[in-house]
């Protein structure tokens, strides 16, 4: 079961500019992390996605982008799973 | 100081949806600090329930995986998350659908509070 998720995470991390990704279940527990991504942020990522979805309850799940000077974190919930992708901003 | 810490914990309750109670106790389950909403189940806050964590930690150490850090029990309506900060125990009581990972992430925020309380407990 994890093999499939592992393969997906490998694919994501190998995309240009991406340096890490985390996947989280509906309880905020980490399903997997690759690259320079911390498993400790799993709960917060799920919380951010959940809170953002409350802004527009009748729309589909929003994509949340957190931007710093040189990095971007993109968070989206799909069903019970929330994914976060960390990217370098220059690319 | 106690008021300040209580306010901090009260803030946590409002920040994490579904979190009903945060209790800091000693190893016997005696309450040192408690903040809770009116939805918190009274029976889960009793010392005789909280102190069973000590037994679980002892049993957990037999698994050979090192010191037991956190115990998560999910019931049909509630979840109880206990953290090993011996001589103290932190107990979180939340709804079954509450974000478990978020509660685990709070652990680091509580470290300074817990270490100052642990000092006070060790001295007495």
């Amino acid at each position: 079961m994890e093999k499939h998720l592992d393969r997906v995470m490998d694919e994501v991390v190998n995309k240009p500019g991406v340096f890490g990704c985390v996947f989280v279940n509906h309880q905020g527990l980490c399903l997997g992390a690759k690259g320079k991504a911390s498993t400790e942020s799993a709960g917060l990522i799920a919380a951010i996605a959940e809170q953002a979805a409350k802004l527009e309850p009748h729309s589909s799940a929003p994509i949340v982008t957190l931007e710093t000077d040189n990095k971007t974190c993109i968070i989206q919930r799909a069903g019970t799973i929330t994914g976060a992708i960390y990217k370098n901003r220059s690319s | 100081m106690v008021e300040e810490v209580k306010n901090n914990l009260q803030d946590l309750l409002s920040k994490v949806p579904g979190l009903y109670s945060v209790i800091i106790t000693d190893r016997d389950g005696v309450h040192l600090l408690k903040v809770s909403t009116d939805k918190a189940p009274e029976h889960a806050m009793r010392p005789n329930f909280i102190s069973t964590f000590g037994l679980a930690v002892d049993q957990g150490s037999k698994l050979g995986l090192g010191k037991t850090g956190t115990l998560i029990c999910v019931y049909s309506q509630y979840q109880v998350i206990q953290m090993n900060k011996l001589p103290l125990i932190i107990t979180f009581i939340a709804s079954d659908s509450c974000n478990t990972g978020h509660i685990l992430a709070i652990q680091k925020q509580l470290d300074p509070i817990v270490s100052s309380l642990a000092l006070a407990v060790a001295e007495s």
Side-chain angles (χ1 to χ4, degrees):
Chain A
M1 196 186 100
E2 284 132 78
K3 267 186 192 167
H4 187 63
L5 179 64
D6 261 340
R7 204 170 58 232
V8 171
M9 286 194 297
D10 278 331
E11 264 176 44
V12 171
V13 168
N14 288 325
K15 296 262 186 240
V18 176
F19 66 89
C21 66
V22 193
F23 288 89
V24 186
N25 76 356
H26 67 286
Q27 278 201 295
L29 299 173
C30 184
L31 296 172
K34 277 269 156 74
K36 277 188 184 173
S38 163
T39 54
E40 286 175 17
S41 46
L44 296 171
I45 286 165
I48 290 169
E50 197 184 315
Q51 296 295 335
K54 286 181 186 166
L55 288 172
E56 290 281 350
H58 303 296
S59 314
S60 55
I63 298 171
V64 183
T65 311
L66 306 168
E67 292 182 344
T68 63
D69 286 346
N70 46 10
K71 285 169 190 164
T72 312
C73 174
I74 305 159
I75 300 170
Q76 192 185 20
R77 188 172 188 165
T80 60
I81 293 176
T82 307
I85 296 174
Y86 296 89
K87 286 181 82 177
N88 288 315
R89 267 194 89 179
S90 51
S91 51
Chain B
M1 179 205 159
V2 176
E3 275 311 306
E4 198 181 310
V5 173
K6 268 198 168 184
N7 286 341
N8 258 330
L9 295 180
Q10 198 74 50
D11 272 354
L12 283 183
L13 284 191
S14 51
K15 274 181 194 160
V16 183
L19 179 59
Y20 297 145
S21 181
V22 184
I23 311 164
I24 300 178
T25 62
D26 70 357
R27 67 174 84 227
D28 300 318
V30 178
H31 292 190
L32 298 175
L33 271 175
K34 182 180 99 174
V35 289
S36 57
T37 65
D38 43 2
K39 283 184 182 169
E42 274 303 319
H43 40 273
M45 298 194 278
R46 290 185 190 149
N48 53 7
F49 174 70
I50 293 174
S51 62
T52 54
F53 177 68
L55 302 174
V57 167
D58 288 343
Q59 296 300 321
S61 63
K62 292 179 188 169
L63 292 170
L65 300 170
K67 188 179 137 192
T68 307
T70 315
L71 178 86
I72 304 169
C73 300
V74 184
Y75 303 94
S76 58
Q77 291 178 59
Y78 299 102
Q79 59 178 304
V80 177
I81 300 164
Q82 293 186 291
M83 291 168 185
N84 180 4
K85 302 280 176 193
L86 288 172
L88 301 179
I89 302 169
I90 312 178
T91 307
F92 294 88
I93 302 169
S95 75
D96 63 314
S97 58
C98 180
N99 186 334
T100 316
H102 198 178
I103 295 175
L104 295 177
I106 286 171
Q107 191 167 184
K108 272 193 181 167
Q109 278 181 50
L110 291 181
D111 274 344
I113 297 173
V114 170
S115 50
S116 58
L117 273 175
L119 269 180
V121 169
E123 278 168 14
S124 60

